[in-house]
Amino acid sequence: MMWKEGQNSCISLGVILGVVLLTGLMRVTFRRRVFSTVTRTFVAELLATFQLCCCSHELQVLVELGPSNPSWPLTIIYFLSLVHGLTLVGAVSNPCGVLEQLALEQMPVGMSILKILAQMLGAWFSRTFMLWIWKMGISKWHYPERALKCTNPIHIALPEAFLVEMFCSFIFHSTMMHFQEIRLKFRIHLQAALITFLVFAGGSLTGAVFNPVLALSLHFQCFQNLFYNYFIVYCLGPSLDLQEEKSILLWDTEAIHCH
């Protein structure tokens, strides 16, 4: 029994590794063959979101397969966040991050729309790809019904769930804003640790997704069944922290000027 569970875990880890390698290969190929900056940006954002969503889908399988020790999923999340931090440099993979840059006037409107469109397509392609992988039945935990059923991640009242996602998004983006001056090799560890902490704090309440396109990819069936609830929690919640982040940045800037 232990051997079979270990074998299934290795298969899921292999799927995640395969997705990362496939995405990396496609990224390098497009970078060499495409010279348009706009097209490069679109493809990079699409592939980054595709990788993030595919790995998150398979992460759910790994969590079910893993031991009952609560440190198991957190360890996997930490190392997976490190992988994303190393391989997806320059991509946002989150509409809230794009809207944040737009609100701070760090990105033009046209580029913002382009990136969000690429993220939505990446999230959609990830569902299609993972459904194809699960239909192959490589592992007994791989079956197409996984993508076709709604596993409700919201375990608290709607207003509380809204606040959890909003505060998770606020803490993540405002903290990362202050990490920008830190060298990349240290920043990715801090980012991975922050994501792991937020999942630990809010994962049992709402899943601590704080990313609308990731939530759409993971819980598409739930969006269909309870659209307004999920839209409020996973789309409005993470997006409404942008004004607070802008205020913090302006306050920091004024403080610097005063000194």
Side-chain angles (χ1 to χ4, degrees):
M1 183 69 177
M2 290 292 291
W3 162 248
K4 286 186 176 180
E5 289 181 357
Q7 192 177 31
N8 289 326
S9 296
C10 288
I11 290 172
S12 288
L13 288 171
V15 170
I16 291 175
L17 178 61
V19 168
V20 173
L21 292 176
L22 174 65
T23 308
L25 178 62
M26 293 174 67
R27 191 182 300 112
V28 171
T29 302
F30 274 99
R31 193 177 297 142
R32 289 179 177 176
R33 296 180 178 275
V34 177
F35 300 100
S36 168
T37 304
V38 173
T39 306
R40 277 188 173 188
T41 301
F42 181 85
V43 172
E45 202 64 47
L46 186 152
L47 291 176
T49 308
F50 175 83
Q51 175 179 314
L52 174 66
C53 293
C54 284
C55 291
S56 298
H57 277 287
E58 196 62 30
L59 176 63
Q60 292 183 326
V61 179
L62 265 176
V63 170
E64 292 179 18
L65 283 170
S68 56
N69 189 337
S71 64
W72 162 254
L74 295 177
T75 303
I76 296 296
I77 288 168
Y78 177 81
F79 283 105
L80 197 54
S81 298
L82 282 181
V83 171
H84 293 323
L86 286 168
T87 58
L88 305 182
V89 177
V92 183
S93 309
N94 188 337
C96 296
V98 175
L99 293 175
E100 176 190 8
Q101 293 182 28
L102 180 63
L104 298 175
E105 299 180 355
Q106 297 175 350
M107 184 183 297
V109 176
M111 185 60 70
S112 302
I113 295 173
L114 183 75
K115 286 198 171 192
I116 292 175
L117 178 59
Q119 291 166 3
M120 294 180 67
L121 285 175
W124 177 259
F125 289 151
S126 71
R127 279 189 60 82
T128 305
F129 179 78
M130 292 310 298
L131 181 59
W132 175 70
I133 291 290
W134 290 338
K135 277 184 177 180
M136 295 171 65
I138 306 172
S139 160
K140 73 172 185 177
W141 293 87
H142 284 175
Y143 46 89
E145 287 76 19
R146 296 190 68 91
L148 303 177
K149 66 178 181 179
C150 171
T151 304
N152 189 0
I154 301 176
H155 303 294
I156 51 178
L158 187 65
E160 295 170 353
F162 170 84
L163 290 175
V164 168
E165 287 294 315
M166 185 180 73
F167 283 126
C168 282
S169 180
F170 171 72
I171 292 170
F172 177 75
H173 289 105
S174 59
T175 305
M176 291 307 301
M177 193 185 298
H178 290 84
F179 284 170
Q180 293 304 312
E181 302 302 321
I182 301 176
R183 293 175 64 181
L184 178 62
K185 64 179 182 179
F186 299 122
R187 189 168 72 240
I188 58 172
H189 284 279
L190 292 172
Q191 177 178 302
L194 178 61
I195 292 172
T196 306
F197 168 75
L198 291 174
V199 172
F200 171 75
S204 61
L205 305 175
T206 63
V209 182
F210 51 92
N211 183 335
V213 293
L214 178 58
L216 185 62
S217 180
L218 292 177
H219 308 300
F220 180 74
Q221 293 300 126
C222 298
F223 269 91
Q224 284 189 316
N225 299 338
L226 298 166
F227 175 78
Y228 292 108
N229 289 5
Y230 277 75
F231 179 79
I232 289 170
V233 172
Y234 293 110
C235 296
L236 286 184
S239 302
L240 290 181
D241 69 300
L242 298 174
Q243 187 59 44
E244 286 81 358
E245 290 174 30
K246 186 174 181 179
S247 300
I248 288 175
L249 183 63
L250 291 174
W251 185 87
D252 288 347
T253 304
E254 290 174 0
I256 292 171
H257 287 319
C258 289
H259 287 296

